[in-house]
Amino acid sequence: MKALTTAVFLVSAPAALLFAQGVAPVRLNLQEAAALALKNHPLVQAARDVFSAMTQRITEARAAYYPDFNADITGSQANPRARIGAGFLTTSSMFNRIGVGFSLNQMISDWGRTPNLVAEARLRTQATQQDYQATRDDVLLGVNRAYFLTLRAQALIKVARETVAARQLLVDQVTALARNNLRSQLDVSFVGVNLAQARLLLIQSQNEVQAAYAEMTRALGQEQPAAYELMEQPLPPSPPEDVERVVMVAVENRPELASLRLSLQAANRFEEAEKDLTRPSVSFNGVGGYIPYVNQITLPRVIPSEYEGVGVNVQIPLFNGHLFSARREEAHYRVLEADQRLRDRLEQVERDVRTAWASSFTAYQRLDVTAQFLREATLALNLAQGRYDLGLASIVELTQGQLNLTQAEIENLSAKYDYQIQYANLQYTIGALR
């Protein structure tokens, strides 16, 4: 009776724990979980904010096309008889005055530097958009993995509960037979060992369920822990036969590769922009305003109340301590760096695709093998039970049959969820997980 009470406690422990925590199970299917993660996960939100921030870089770069127009209000006090004597070549007179005016500066041409900077900003923004998509893919892969690990943990705890119940029943039967001297105490010891193993499996499976719930909460971007009631998903189709075709699809679709390609193009445009630094730049300048008060030394007033002026300036770089040449060389090496990073990532993607394809193919093959394992283990246990009831087999055969069946059930459900995880990983590596 004590053993039965212990088994019931172990079976009901997860439900009691959740009830004590006041956590209501969250019912989800895989599509709902993915949508919830994309909405709530902080990494997705951060990547979206980075992309939104990068879109402003285009406006910042294009600002050079527009005039720089400013209003000025100036009041000054000075010694009217003084002249500036140090620090400048000018010797302009200084007056007590108040004036208001406007200044205008408009770039006419910088011989291609601004268009290259605008193109670079646009390419960088597009690269950030691909980074945003890559972050979404990472989150979706985490959701798929956590989803199927949770289903596996829940299925495992169900197997553990059924195993405890079946072995507890056998213990009760063998114990009753031993009291009537129809079975030996050795038989009681063997079935007791099996029951203890089942209880350990149940305790371990309870821990895996709690860990899976924590992982699922993290994958969904949730802050509060929860229990989950997840819907079973149909098995995906078999992996593609041609791995080289899968690699080609990954090279075309992976957002990380698209981001690096765009970054390489942006680096090329910035190198061109840095080369344009050595070319002349032409700008238009204009000023105008009104001076309502000037404290002149002599009267009548000779300084007009209104003023205006315009000019065109051509700036020709001659020498600046090799600054522009160093910037051009730096930009060139940044291009080489971007090219090598793209090459490295391309090789890594090809390796990951081949590894994921092999893992998914192996996991797919395990499905039939574990199903056959389960059928054979079930048949073997039924035969062992019948032989034991007839006194034709020892308790060793029966307990070994129980152990084989439990292992077969675990392997079978593990193969199912492992293939779903491996298939999702394969879809991720080829950029098709959406």
Side-chain angles (χ1 to χ4, degrees):
M1 185 65 182
K2 181 178 179 181
L4 181 59
T5 302
T6 303
V8 171
F9 172 75
L10 289 173
V11 171
S12 60
L17 177 61
L18 294 177
F19 180 78
Q21 293 176 343
V23 178
V26 178
R27 186 181 179 89
L28 290 172
N29 58 35
L30 183 57
Q31 292 72 27
E32 292 170 341
L36 187 61
L38 294 178
K39 178 182 177 182
N40 294 333
H41 204 286
L43 289 181
V44 174
Q45 296 180 6
R48 182 170 58 244
D49 292 338
V50 170
F51 170 63
S52 299
M54 282 299 298
T55 58
Q56 301 306 310
R57 293 285 184 90
I58 301 174
T59 303
E60 294 171 14
R62 296 181 63 217
Y65 288 132
Y66 300 96
D68 183 13
F69 189 60
N70 299 287
D72 301 297
I73 301 175
T74 303
S76 68
Q77 184 278 328
N79 182 357
R81 298 181 182 276
R83 300 291 186 272
I84 299 175
F88 296 92
L89 295 177
T90 179
T91 58
S92 300
S93 299
M94 298 188 296
F95 299 98
N96 295 339
R97 74 189 191 280
I98 296 176
V100 296
F102 299 93
S103 62
L104 175 68
N105 186 2
Q106 171 66 61
M107 180 196 70
I108 297 177
S109 174
D110 59 0
W111 269 268
R113 176 170 170 78
T114 296
N116 280 320
L117 291 177
V118 172
E120 184 223 0
R122 184 173 290 109
L123 290 166
R124 297 283 184 194
T125 301
Q126 294 172 359
T128 307
Q129 185 178 22
Q130 294 298 321
D131 292 337
Y132 169 53
Q133 182 60 55
T135 302
R136 288 169 57 94
D137 290 353
D138 290 340
V139 169
L140 288 177
L141 179 61
V143 170
N144 276 264
R145 183 177 182 277
Y147 190 95
F148 292 119
L149 285 178
T150 301
L151 284 176
R152 179 190 180 278
Q154 291 174 339
L156 178 61
I157 202 171
K158 181 180 179 181
V159 169
R161 290 172 182 173
E162 293 174 351
T163 302
V164 168
R167 294 186 184 181
Q168 181 64 61
L169 179 61
L170 182 60
V171 166
D172 295 340
Q173 292 173 348
V174 173
T175 301
L177 292 173
R179 290 197 192 103
N180 296 317
N181 296 321
L182 297 177
R183 288 289 186 265
S184 68
Q185 287 299 319
L186 179 62
D187 289 5
V188 176
S189 298
F190 269 107
V191 294
V193 169
N194 265 14
L195 177 59
Q197 289 178 334
R199 289 173 179 171
L200 290 175
L201 175 63
L202 180 57
I203 292 172
Q204 179 183 356
S205 63
Q206 290 169 355
N207 179 71
E208 290 187 14
V209 166
Q210 296 303 315
Y213 286 167
E215 185 66 24
M216 192 67 189
T217 299
R218 174 70 181 112
L220 295 176
Q222 303 283 63
E223 297 181 358
Q224 298 298 325
Y228 298 94
E229 183 181 349
L230 304 180
M231 304 298 103
E232 290 285 348
Q233 300 297 308
L235 279 176
S238 61
E241 294 291 337
D242 188 0
V243 65
E244 296 304 323
R245 180 175 179 82
V246 174
V247 171
M248 292 176 58
V249 172
V251 171
E252 295 175 358
N253 292 347
R254 283 291 289 270
E256 300 96 325
L257 294 178
S259 175
L260 290 173
R261 292 189 190 102
L262 291 167
S263 296
L264 176 59
Q265 296 176 34
N268 279 304
R269 296 305 292 264
F270 184 69
E271 181 184 13
E272 293 299 320
E274 293 295 89
K275 291 179 181 178
D276 294 335
L277 284 170
T278 59
R279 299 179 179 179
S281 60
V282 183
S283 61
F284 170 83
N285 300 279
V287 295
Y290 177 68
I291 306 175
Y293 168 74
V294 175
N295 184 15
Q296 295 184 162
I297 299 176
T298 60
L299 295 174
R301 174 174 174 170
V302 297
I303 299 177
S305 298
E306 298 85 9
Y307 69 93
E308 74 280 334
V310 295
V312 175
N313 182 63
V314 179
Q315 184 176 4
I316 304 174
L318 296 178
F319 181 75
N320 55 11
H322 306 289
L323 174 63
F324 290 165
S325 61
R327 289 178 61 173
R328 183 176 65 251
E329 287 299 312
E330 179 187 357
H332 176 67
Y333 286 116
R334 294 298 183 188
V335 171
L336 298 180
E337 175 198 4
D339 183 63
Q340 293 302 319
R341 290 188 182 278
L342 174 59
R343 175 188 169 192
D344 177 71
R345 188 60 178 170
L346 181 62
E347 294 174 354
Q348 182 179 346
V349 165
E350 292 178 352
R351 180 207 64 189
D352 291 346
V353 170
R354 288 188 170 88
T355 301
W357 179 85
S359 298
S360 63
F361 198 78
T362 301
Y364 183 72
Q365 291 178 319
R366 286 183 61 206
L367 294 174
D368 289 338
V369 176
T370 56
Q372 182 180 1
F373 183 18
L374 180 59
R375 289 193 298 268
E376 296 295 337
T378 302
L379 178 60
L381 177 59
N382 292 336
L383 293 176
Q385 182 71 58
R387 286 170 54 82
Y388 181 76
D389 292 341
L390 295 173
L392 301 177
S394 67
I395 193 63
V396 176
E397 293 182 10
L398 180 57
T399 55
Q400 186 61 48
Q402 289 181 328
L403 291 175
N404 291 340
L405 179 61
T406 301
Q407 182 183 0
E409 290 175 334
I410 294 175
E411 291 292 340
N412 187 55
L413 67 88
S414 296
K416 172 185 175 182
Y417 297 116
D418 181 60
Y419 178 61
Q420 290 177 309
I421 292 174
Q422 294 300 332
Y423 189 85
N425 186 54
L426 178 61
Q427 295 299 105
Y428 168 80
T429 59
I430 65 177
L433 187 64
R434 294 290 185 268

